[in-house]
């Protein structure tokens, strides 16, 4: 049985992971849109880089979820 501290730690891990990923993805996309607005001819390379960046940012909540499950299973 998981104690209340373990459940609280899991909830904080998932919450902060989701918050960080949301902020990170928002910043990546906003800077890409800003770059495309400044240099429309660089759209292709900027979008490719943006998709890679967003994919890397989305790994954070996945790791947070794994850590939460590990904390809950102890």
């Amino acid at each position: 049985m998981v104690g209340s501290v373990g459940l609280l730690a899991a909830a904080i891990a998932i919450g902060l992971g989701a918050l960080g990923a949301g902020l990170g993805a928002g910043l990546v996309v906003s800077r890409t849109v800003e770059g495309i607005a400044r240099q429309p001819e660089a759209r292709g390379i900027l979008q490719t880089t943006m998709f890679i960046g967003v994919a890397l940012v989305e790994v954070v909540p996945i790791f947070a979820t794994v850590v939460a499950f590990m904390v809950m299973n102890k």
Side-chain angles (χ1 to χ4, degrees):
M1 185 168 175
V2 179
S4 61
V5 174
L7 290 176
L8 181 62
I12 290 173
I14 292 177
L16 289 178
L19 179 68
L23 289 174
L27 286 173
V28 168
V29 172
S30 76
R31 302 300 167 126
T32 302
V33 170
E34 184 178 319
I36 292 172
R38 290 180 186 217
Q39 283 188 313
E41 66 274 3
R43 179 181 182 194
I45 190 72
L46 288 174
Q47 278 187 336
T48 302
T49 306
M50 178 195 70
F51 288 136
I52 292 170
V54 169
L56 291 174
V57 166
E58 289 299 321
V59 170
V60 172
I62 294 170
F63 281 144
T65 304
V66 169
V67 168
F69 282 132
M70 288 172 58
V71 166
M72 289 177 57
N73 284 331
K74 283 192 174 184

